[in-house]
């Protein structure tokens, strides 16, 4: 990326953060987490935040060698270790920007999957702190990916082609990318309002490989256009995790924890995955889906409209792949934790007991599994009427 594109990308990220937390004010605390290969973008974001009078904490992420050493040699006490001051820090944090720029996607292959799961569980309370602060309007987050040779290699693209996809997807080729993002999010807001007005009871997803029924659940709303991800075109909700039925198939491959997983097929009964299969990486998939009580249930259902997304290639990066446009758009489910802000009431008053009663899923993991097949998505409304809400990659509003 040249300097002009980096400057635009930094402005879009800050716009995303301020959209995610509209209460940000000078001298609030912003954390930037950055992989080393994304340093140019990290420096630009840091400078712009300092110019805007924020207090900025900058942290580099562990290198692949560090991560491999940790998950190879760390014992249980080291896996569960939380540095002094972390709880206090996250309890005061107002914003979090993550710049994903991996130099390896496969370095953790062969390391202990249980250690990875235990590591996530030990740090879940930090994520819960941020979720709670966000519900009170005190915190917001966003993230992006910076092109690296590793990402391009695993996506089977040249670095130039990969970079061009990011530029196109994030509207960095526009004179004013932020203006373009505001236009897109305005359109997304109209679709969200339409979906919320339908009073949906159940959603049915059918494609060549999917035959799935999801119960929306009480007091749910659809989200999207929050600024959380750059790019983000998806419109999503967290359904009632207790009633998922049928078969889901992820035809888009994925990388997680150093593993390559291809053609995931999940069969759900009474909300839980009773059959877990993958053409490649099945052993890892099964282990991750046994992390905790919620890891076999659904925490999210999402659809992306091709009229917004210009992503048309596999990117070996869930951030971009979950926003795939292409010919038919995409849907994805996430196994694991729900998004509590899909609650249609006052999120701040959503207690743990209420979450359980309403079927919000709780888990230490959240993993998006993506399908790009041509599909028809229909909805049964509370009155019994069935309508088509999504077809050939577009919402039918």
């Amino acid at each position: 990326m040249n300097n002009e594109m980096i400057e635009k990308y930094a402005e879009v990220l800050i716009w995303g953060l301020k959209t995610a937390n509209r209460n940000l004010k000078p001298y609030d605390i912003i954390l930037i987490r950055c992989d080393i290969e994304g340093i140019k973008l990290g420096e630009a974001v840091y400078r712009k935040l300092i110019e805007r009078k924020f207090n900025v904490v900058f942290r580099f992420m562990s290198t692949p060698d560090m991560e491999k050493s940790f998950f190879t040699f760390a014992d249980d006490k080291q896996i569960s270790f939380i540095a002094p001051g972390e709880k206090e820090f996250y309890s005061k944090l107002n914003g979090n920007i993550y710049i994903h720029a991996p130099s390896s996607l496969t370095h953790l292959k062969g390391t202990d999957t249980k250690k990875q799961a235990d590591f996530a569980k030990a740090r879940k309370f930090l994520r819960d702190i941020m979720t709670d602060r966000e519900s009170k309007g005190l915190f917001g987050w966003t993230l992006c990916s910076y092109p690296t040779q590793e990402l391009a290699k695993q996506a089977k693209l040249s670095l130039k082609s990969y970079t061009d996809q990011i530029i196109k997807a994030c509207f960095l080729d526009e004179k004013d990318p932020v203006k373009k993002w505001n236009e897109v999010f305005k359109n997304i807001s109209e679709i969200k309002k339409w979906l919320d007005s339908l009073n949906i009871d159940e959603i049915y997803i059918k494609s060549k490989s999917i035959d799935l029924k999801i119960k929306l659940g009480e007091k749910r709303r659809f989200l999207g256009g929050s600024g959380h991800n750059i790019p983000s075109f998806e419109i999503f909700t967290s359904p009632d995790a207790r009633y998922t039925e049928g078969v889901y198939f992820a035809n888009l491959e994925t990388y997680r924890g150093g593993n390559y997983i291809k053609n995931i097929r999940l069969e759900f009964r009474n909300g839980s995955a009773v059959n877990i299969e993958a053409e490649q990486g099945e052993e890892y998939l099964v282990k991750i889906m046994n992390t905790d009580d919620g890891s076999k249930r659904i925490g999210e259902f999402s659809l992306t409209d091709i009229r917004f997304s210009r992503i048309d290639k596999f990117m070996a990066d869930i951030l971009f792949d979950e926003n795939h446009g292409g010919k038919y758009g995409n849907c994805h489910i996430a196994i694991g934790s729900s998004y509590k802000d899909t609650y249609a009431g006052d999120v701040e008053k959503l207690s743990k007991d209420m979450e359980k009663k309403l079927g919000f899923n709780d888990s230490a993991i959240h993993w998006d599994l993506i399908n790009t097949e041509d599909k028809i998505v229909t909805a049964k409304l509370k009155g019994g009427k069935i309508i088509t809400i999504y077809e050939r990659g577009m919402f039918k509003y």
Side-chain angles (χ1 to χ4, degrees):
M1 280 194 175
N2 61 35
N3 288 335
E4 179 186 1
M5 295 299 175
I6 289 172
E7 290 294 310
K8 287 183 177 180
Y9 210 174
E11 286 293 339
V12 169
L13 273 175
I14 293 172
W15 167 81
L17 182 65
K18 294 176 74 174
T19 301
N21 181 3
R22 297 185 182 276
N23 298 317
L24 280 176
K25 58 187 182 300
Y27 307 108
D28 277 350
I29 304 169
I30 310 296
L31 171 65
I32 302 174
R33 297 177 302 139
C34 182
D35 288 321
I36 289 175
E37 291 200 30
I39 182 59
K40 288 185 179 180
L41 180 57
E43 288 174 336
V45 173
Y46 181 89
R47 169 172 41 83
K48 290 176 182 292
L49 288 173
I50 291 295
E51 289 173 345
R52 288 166 167 83
K53 302 301 181 185
F54 292 108
N55 289 319
V56 185
V57 178
F58 191 99
R59 292 179 176 178
F60 279 117
M61 304 299 289
S62 296
T63 66
D65 281 348
M66 289 176 182
E67 283 193 326
K68 185 173 183 179
S69 294
F70 182 75
F71 287 111
T72 299
F73 301 115
D75 60 23
D76 290 345
K77 288 186 177 180
Q78 290 171 300
I79 290 290
S80 61
F81 170 73
I82 304 295
E86 284 293 270
K87 181 178 180 180
E88 180 186 12
F89 174 61
Y90 280 93
S91 297
K92 300 293 184 181
L93 196 58
N94 305 109
N96 188 349
I97 296 176
Y98 173 42
I99 299 170
H100 179 62
S103 55
S104 172
L105 294 179
T106 58
H107 57 284
L108 293 182
K109 183 174 176 60
T111 58
D112 190 343
T113 304
K114 184 178 183 301
K115 286 184 178 181
Q116 295 181 40
D118 289 345
F119 181 81
K121 286 189 283 188
R123 282 151 182 77
K124 182 179 179 295
F125 80 97
L126 296 175
R127 191 176 71 197
D128 290 343
I129 289 171
M130 290 184 283
T131 299
D132 180 62
R133 286 180 61 75
E134 187 168 20
S135 72
K136 296 175 181 177
L138 300 172
F139 174 81
W141 58 270
T142 192
L143 58 85
C144 75
S145 288
Y146 189 82
T148 66
Q149 191 63 59
E150 172 71 356
L151 284 170
K153 174 187 172 184
Q154 300 298 351
K156 298 180 175 59
L157 297 172
S158 69
L159 183 57
K160 182 182 184 305
S161 294
Y162 196 95
T163 304
D164 287 345
Q165 277 281 300
I166 291 181
I167 290 170
K168 184 170 68 170
C170 299
F171 305 118
L172 305 183
D173 52 352
E174 297 274 341
K175 182 178 180 180
D176 187 348
V178 168
K179 181 180 178 181
K180 180 64 177 178
W181 276 112
N182 278 321
E183 292 173 0
V184 168
F185 281 7
K186 180 181 178 181
N187 291 328
I188 287 175
S189 294
E190 291 177 1
I191 296 175
K192 289 188 298 181
K193 289 178 183 177
W194 169 68
L195 289 169
D196 288 338
S197 73
L198 294 177
N199 206 13
I200 295 172
D201 180 25
E202 294 177 341
I203 296 173
Y204 310 102
I205 308 100
K206 288 197 175 183
S207 73
K208 176 184 176 182
S209 308
I210 298 175
D211 188 355
L212 191 70
K213 179 177 74 174
I214 293 171
K215 187 172 182 63
L216 186 60
E218 297 299 322
K219 296 187 177 180
R220 296 304 202 274
R221 63 174 177 166
F222 286 84
L223 298 181
S226 63
H228 281 147
N229 295 338
I230 303 296
S232 180
F233 308 104
E234 59 171 324
I235 296 176
F236 64 94
T237 191
S238 287
D240 190 324
R242 298 168 294 186
Y243 300 105
T244 310
E245 297 283 343
V247 173
Y248 184 79
F249 184 77
N251 71 313
L252 210 61
E253 58 262 58
T254 184
Y255 286 89
R256 183 184 175 93
N259 294 268
Y260 174 75
I261 306 96
K262 180 179 180 182
N263 289 339
I264 296 170
R265 184 183 184 276
L266 304 178
E267 182 180 349
F268 291 90
R269 194 177 304 144
N270 297 322
S272 184
V274 294
N275 287 310
I276 302 169
E277 301 173 356
E279 181 181 327
Q280 201 166 332
E282 183 177 302
E283 181 180 358
Y284 175 80
L285 173 67
V286 171
K287 287 181 179 178
I288 289 297
M289 291 188 68
N290 281 281
T291 297
D292 51 38
D293 291 340
S295 54
K296 287 185 180 179
R297 296 182 182 272
I298 291 179
E300 177 190 5
F301 172 69
S302 172
L303 291 162
T304 294
D305 194 305
I306 60 174
R307 289 169 291 187
F308 307 139
S309 174
R310 301 194 290 175
I311 303 167
D312 57 11
K313 292 180 172 59
F314 171 63
M315 296 289 281
D317 183 340
I318 287 179
L319 172 60
F320 284 87
D321 293 331
E322 71 174 357
N323 287 285
H324 185 92
K327 190 174 181 180
Y328 299 119
N330 85 83
C331 78
H332 71 258
I333 63 169
I335 51 172
S337 63
S338 296
Y339 288 115
K340 306 306 185 293
D341 49 354
T342 60
Y343 174 62
D346 185 346
V347 179
E348 193 174 343
K349 295 180 180 179
L350 183 62
S351 67
K352 288 293 182 182
D353 286 343
M354 289 173 63
E355 289 175 21
K356 188 174 182 179
K357 184 177 180 180
L358 291 169
F360 283 95
N361 199 31
D362 186 40
S363 175
I365 71 164
H366 182 94
W367 185 3
D368 298 307
L369 308 175
I370 302 140
N371 180 284
T372 63
E373 297 173 330
D374 189 14
K375 61 182 61 66
I376 295 177
V377 181
T378 55
K380 185 178 81 172
L381 310 185
K382 290 288 178 63
K385 183 179 180 181
I386 295 178
I387 64 170
T388 299
I389 60 172
Y390 183 92
E391 187 175 13
R392 299 192 69 79
M394 293 181 285
F395 285 97
K396 307 293 288 183
Y397 77 108

